[in-house]
Amino acid sequence: MMDAPQDELVLIARRGAHLVLTLNRADKANAMTVAMVEALTAQITQAANDANIRAIVLTANGDRVFCAGVDVREKPADGDMAAQRERRSHALAALQDAVIDVPKPVVVSLNGTATGAGAMIALMADACVAVDSASIGLPEIDLGIASFSGANILTVIGGRALALDLIQNGRKMPSGEALTRGLVRTVAARAELEGAAQAAADVLAAKDAQAFADNKHWINRGLKAALAEARAEHARHRAKAVEK
């Protein structure tokens, strides 16, 4: 697989046995368009059936932001914003499912702040490494938006106290604190971040592939159930908004 042209919004590269996917929209805080979300999902799904790929690394370009979530300002070609919200929701759900369902390790390398959907992907990965200036946040409450998916993800991963902390306060948790809370595996200086991500991927890729896949499926069963519940609640809220 060849490196993608630099003008693409998702760069695709191979680094040995690792598939490296890079968000390439730093001028827009790497906020993901629907097409970007779908491209990530397609690459992760294809990697599941590629015997030459042992691990997937997801990162982003830029020095400040990993991903500010989905691009809620993206205007659809048909002008139908209600349909766009549905497309965005279904695309994000498919990406989340791909990350937790792909039998191979997914390592997120946080080059900066991860918020919203970007934070959720980092939290659901098999390992997350972060630059020392990074942070993780789910600030939807400060926008007047409920985060059912974020709340359920955090509750499964770290318990009610963690969900209350990040969801109800809307604060950004620095990478050092995230390390102590078990949300991040490694914190590294910027010059060492790429190497730390590759090392984390190497460790997981070296495990027995079938055993890793079986463990991952079993470990994530509670997360999958929680996501299904949250998505149903989001759908109910979107339906109510349309009725109004």
Side-chain angles (χ1 to χ4, degrees):
M1 195 179 299
M2 299 294 291
D3 286 11
Q6 290 297 306
D7 60 350
E8 293 188 9
L9 297 183
V10 176
L11 304 183
I12 305 159
R14 284 287 294 276
R15 301 287 183 264
H18 301 163
L19 172 66
V20 182
L21 304 175
T22 304
L23 301 177
N24 190 35
R25 204 184 182 209
D27 60 325
K28 298 294 184 180
N30 289 314
M32 297 182 290
T33 64
V34 171
M36 289 172 70
V37 174
E38 291 173 341
L40 290 170
T41 301
Q43 288 296 321
I44 294 170
T45 301
Q46 291 169 21
N49 300 313
D50 188 336
N52 294 315
I53 295 175
R54 295 281 297 175
I56 301 159
V57 177
L58 176 59
T59 188
N61 279 333
D63 294 328
R64 295 174 54 250
V65 180
F66 166 70
C67 178
V70 291
D71 186 354
V72 296
R73 297 182 180 179
E74 181 183 10
K75 291 182 171 55
D78 60 8
D80 189 338
M81 292 303 293
Q84 175 71 359
R85 284 191 290 273
E86 285 295 319
R87 284 191 290 266
R88 188 167 61 233
S89 177
H90 290 303
L92 181 57
L95 175 58
Q96 292 173 339
D97 287 343
V99 169
I100 61 178
D101 287 342
V102 66
K104 300 179 181 184
V106 176
V107 176
V108 168
S109 177
L110 293 184
N111 58 300
T113 299
T115 54
M120 293 182 207
I121 296 300
L123 291 167
M124 290 189 294
D126 299 294
C128 181
V129 301
V131 70
D132 50 17
S133 59
S135 61
I136 296 174
L138 291 158
E140 287 87 346
I141 193 169
D142 293 331
L143 302 173
I145 301 171
S147 180
F148 303 119
S149 294
N152 274 16
I153 290 168
L154 286 170
T155 300
V156 170
I157 290 173
R160 181 174 181 271
L162 178 64
L164 285 172
D165 184 5
L166 288 186
I167 296 294
Q168 299 295 63
N169 287 307
R171 74 180 181 96
K172 294 177 181 177
M173 180 180 289
S175 58
E177 182 182 354
L179 178 65
T180 65
R181 302 284 289 266
L183 305 182
V184 169
R185 175 173 295 196
T186 305
V187 173
R190 187 163 300 278
E192 300 168 355
L193 180 64
E194 182 177 351
Q198 295 296 313
D202 283 339
V203 168
L204 297 181
K207 305 301 180 184
D208 180 87
Q210 189 58 58
F212 183 91
D214 289 343
N215 285 341
K216 179 172 180 175
H217 173 76
W218 191 250
I219 290 168
N220 285 337
R221 71 193 189 284
L223 181 57
K224 285 182 69 68
L227 281 171
E229 179 188 41
R231 289 167 186 169
E233 189 65 17
H234 277 300
R236 283 191 286 270
H237 275 247
R238 288 197 302 274
K240 288 181 181 178
V242 170
E243 292 172 1
K244 293 179 182 178

